[in-house]
Amino acid sequence: MYNLCKLCALTNIEQVLNHKKEIKRLTLVEGKSLNYIDSLKNEIGGTITGDTYEYKKGTDSISLKAFQLFGNMEMIMTTAKYKNGLILDRTPNRDLNLFHLNVILSGVSLQLHGEHNETIEAGKTKNVFLYNGMLPLLAEFPPNTFYQSVSFKFNKDDLSNQFPEAAE
C-alpha cells in the first residue's frame, strides 16, 4: 500500500498544502511539456538538453523526455523518485482544445481537482487520467515511490487533421 498520508481524506486544496509543507511543491501553468521542464529546472535545478530534463541528487531523480509526434501532439515520458514526495500545482491554461492523457506505468499519483480526488495507480483498472486543463489541478506523488508514466498532450484539431475519418 502506498503512503498517501491522509491526503485522500482532505478535499480542500489549502488543507492539502498546509498538511504537506514538507513535500516539495512545484507550480506551473498547464500546457505543453516546456512548461513542466522550465518549472522543474527553476524550482529544483537539474539540466535541460533539448527536450529532456534530468535531475539527480542523492536518492532523488527525475527524468522527463518530450517528443513531438505530429501537429502539436507531444508524448512525454517521465520517471521519478523523490525522497519527500512531490506536489504538482497546475494552474489552468483555459485552452478548451488542449487535452492531457496520462498513463501511469509504475507507481501512483493522487489528482485533486475542486472537491474531487482520484488515485491513479499502475496495475489497476484506473491507471489513466484524462483532462483538458480548464480547472486547477493538484497532483501528489508519494515519498520514496518510483513513478513512471507516458503522457500525451494533444489538440482536438490535430487529431481531426490526422484522422479525418474519425472526426466525421
Side-chain angles (χ1 to χ4, degrees):
M1 187 56 144
Y2 294 98
N3 178 13
L4 294 178
C5 198
K6 301 180 185 177
L7 185 57
C8 292
L10 301 176
T11 58
N12 176 289
I13 288 177
E14 274 315 303
Q15 287 176 322
V16 172
L17 294 177
N18 288 334
H19 182 70
K20 296 294 187 177
K21 285 184 181 175
E22 71 278 6
I23 292 178
K24 183 66 178 169
R25 178 180 174 202
L26 306 173
T27 303
L28 62 95
V29 175
E30 190 53 86
K32 296 295 188 176
S33 62
L34 188 57
N35 294 15
Y36 288 74
I37 290 170
D38 286 344
S39 177
L40 286 163
K41 172 72 171 146
N42 291 337
E43 297 202 33
I44 64 172
T47 59
I48 298 173
T49 307
D51 291 334
T52 300
Y53 169 81
E54 297 285 340
Y55 173 83
K56 177 80 172 131
K57 184 176 181 183
T59 60
D60 295 341
S61 63
I62 300 172
S63 173
L64 188 144
K65 297 177 184 184
F67 304 90
Q68 195 70 36
L69 298 180
F70 57 82
N72 290 316
M73 186 173 193
E74 293 181 302
M75 179 176 75
I76 300 109
M77 299 181 73
T78 304
T79 58
K81 185 173 182 182
Y82 209 76
K83 178 181 167 188
N84 293 320
L86 290 170
I87 291 177
L88 185 58
D89 187 354
R90 299 176 182 128
T91 303
N93 64 355
R94 305 286 183 217
D95 185 346
L96 284 169
N97 292 315
L98 185 61
F99 290 88
H100 313 268
L101 176 69
N102 190 25
V103 180
I104 296 182
L105 306 172
S106 180
V108 62
S109 76
L110 183 72
Q111 307 288 331
L112 178 65
H113 42 99
E115 297 295 316
H116 182 73
N117 63 50
E118 271 184 86
T119 300
I120 315 298
E121 185 173 357
K124 304 288 184 181
T125 56
K126 185 66 179 157
N127 72 328
V128 175
F129 188 70
L130 175 67
Y131 69 107
N132 69 356
M134 291 297 293
L135 298 171
L137 181 66
L138 202 66
E140 180 185 355
F141 304 90
N144 291 315
T145 302
F146 180 72
Y147 174 85
Q148 187 175 34
S149 70
V150 61
S151 303
F152 298 91
K153 294 184 179 288
F154 56 92
N155 187 297
K156 188 167 57 173
D157 296 333
D158 287 332
L159 287 180
S160 297
N161 292 339
Q162 188 69 25
F163 307 104
E165 63 281 356
E168 295 174 358

